[in-house]
Amino acid sequence: MILLNTIIAPIALIMRRFGLLTEDLDYHLVRASMVIMFFLFGYQKWWPYEAERLVPYISNGPLIWWLYPVFGHQGASYFLGISEWTFGALLFAGFWEKRLGILGALGSTGTFIATVTIIPFMPNGWDPAAGFPAMSGDVPFLLKDLILLAVSFYLLRQDVVRVARNARVVSNSRLGRLVHSGQE
C-alpha cells in the first residue's frame, strides 16, 4: 500500500499542477472529441467512396435500411453527413447552451443506437471457424459504436442534469425575489 501511494501521489500532484483534475475537464474533452468525430465522419459522407463503403451497413441496418429507397445511395450518404454535422454542431453549441447540447446528445444517441443494431444482422460478422464471439468483416468496426453510444448517453445525462440544476437555481432565485418583495 505504501509503495502504491508513493507512486500515485506524484502523479496526482503533476495532474493537479497541469489542471488535469479541474472540474468538468473530462466532460469537456468528451464533448470536444464527439464534435471532432462528427465533423470528420460527416465530411466523409460527401464523397462517392464513402457512399459505396456504407452499402453493407445501411443495407443490413434494421433502423436505417429505408435510407436507400428514400434517398438512393449517394443521397443516403448526404443525409447521414448532414445529420452528423447537425449533431456535431449541436454538441458544439452545448459548450455554451446545454439545451442545444441535449438535442445534439439525443441525435448522437440515436445515431449509435442505429449503428449498434446493425451488428447482429451484418453478414459474415462472425469468424466461420471460431464462431461467436470471434468477430470478422465489418463487425469490429461497428463495435466501437458501443463506446460512442455510452459517450452519447453520458453527454445527454450531463446536459440534462445541468439544465435541471440551472432551472432549480433560477426558480429558487425568482421565488426568493417574490418572498423578499412581498408578492407571494
Side-chain angles (χ1 to χ4, degrees):
M1 207 46 113
I2 294 172
L3 178 61
L4 188 58
N5 287 338
T6 305
I7 295 169
I8 298 297
I11 293 171
L13 182 62
I14 291 168
M15 291 176 73
R16 188 175 298 121
R17 281 192 183 149
F18 283 105
L20 296 176
L21 298 180
T22 59
E23 188 175 327
D24 288 342
L25 177 66
D26 54 339
Y27 166 68
H28 296 304
L29 286 174
V30 166
R31 179 178 299 282
S33 298
M34 292 296 283
V35 168
I36 291 166
M37 187 212 55
F38 272 121
F39 172 74
L40 294 174
F41 276 29
Y43 176 77
Q44 279 185 273
K45 302 303 187 286
W46 295 94
W47 305 101
Y49 79 89
E50 180 68 5
E52 287 308 311
R53 177 77 179 105
L54 291 173
V55 169
Y57 301 103
I58 295 174
S59 298
N60 293 292
L63 301 178
I64 59 173
W65 62 269
W66 56 271
L67 290 173
Y68 284 153
V70 172
F71 298 112
H73 279 26
Q74 188 62 54
S77 191
Y78 291 154
F79 175 84
L80 293 174
I82 291 168
S83 299
E84 289 169 346
W85 279 352
T86 301
F87 302 145
L90 289 166
L91 287 171
F92 183 69
F95 277 112
W96 300 277
E97 176 54 64
K98 299 304 175 207
R99 292 173 296 181
L100 293 175
I102 289 171
L103 294 176
L106 279 170
S108 183
T109 300
T111 295
F112 296 112
I113 287 172
T115 57
V116 165
T117 60
I118 298 169
I119 293 172
F121 301 100
M122 186 59 76
N124 306 314
W126 311 108
D127 185 271
F132 178 84
M135 300 174 290
S136 67
D138 294 315
V139 169
F141 175 75
L142 287 172
L143 202 57
K144 67 156 177 24
D145 290 358
L146 282 173
I147 295 166
L148 295 171
L149 175 59
V151 166
S152 300
F153 188 76
Y154 167 78
L155 288 173
L156 177 60
R157 182 189 176 284
Q158 291 297 317
D159 287 347
V160 167
V161 165
R162 283 164 168 73
V163 166
R165 186 181 314 137
N166 189 40
R168 276 194 306 273
V169 168
V170 168
S171 176
N172 288 341
S173 87
R174 285 183 186 151
L175 179 61
R177 282 194 305 266
L178 287 174
V179 169
H180 290 304
S181 68
Q183 300 176 357
E184 299 179 58

